[in-house]
Amino acid sequence: MLWSFSIRSVLYPKERYIWTPVRIIHETNKAILVDNGRKTWIPKSRIYEIRIRNNIIEIYVKESSVG
């Protein structure tokens, strides 16, 4: 049984979540256009948290959303 868990973790790795600093450029009802070195539309449903730290806006998203 232990073997199946290790194979599963290799085939389906856990998604990583990160805090990333952004500059919000535009907002619609469903998405936010952010600039983090490149302009990217991020659906609001994929933003899990927003915070301001040292006057910088940071969003908590899956790493694949902004990377």
Side-chain angles (χ1 to χ4, degrees):
M1 198 65 154
L2 185 59
W3 176 256
S4 64
F5 289 117
S6 63
I7 294 293
R8 181 183 172 100
S9 65
V10 170
L11 296 176
Y12 305 104
K14 290 184 179 180
E15 186 71 41
R16 291 178 36 185
Y17 294 85
I18 60 170
W19 283 101
T20 183
V22 297
R23 186 174 60 118
I24 296 174
I25 299 172
H26 186 72
E27 180 182 4
T28 67
N29 290 337
K30 296 185 178 188
I32 296 176
L33 178 62
V34 299
D35 182 8
N36 62 339
R38 64 180 188 177
K39 294 179 183 175
T40 308
W41 282 99
I42 299 178
K44 287 183 177 179
S45 62
R46 294 199 180 169
I47 299 173
Y48 296 99
E49 202 170 332
I50 296 175
R51 71 179 179 193
I52 298 175
R53 200 170 87 182
N54 298 329
N55 293 327
I56 298 172
I57 298 172
E58 296 180 334
I59 58 175
Y60 191 65
V61 294
K62 287 184 180 180
E63 187 175 34
S64 61
S65 297
V66 293

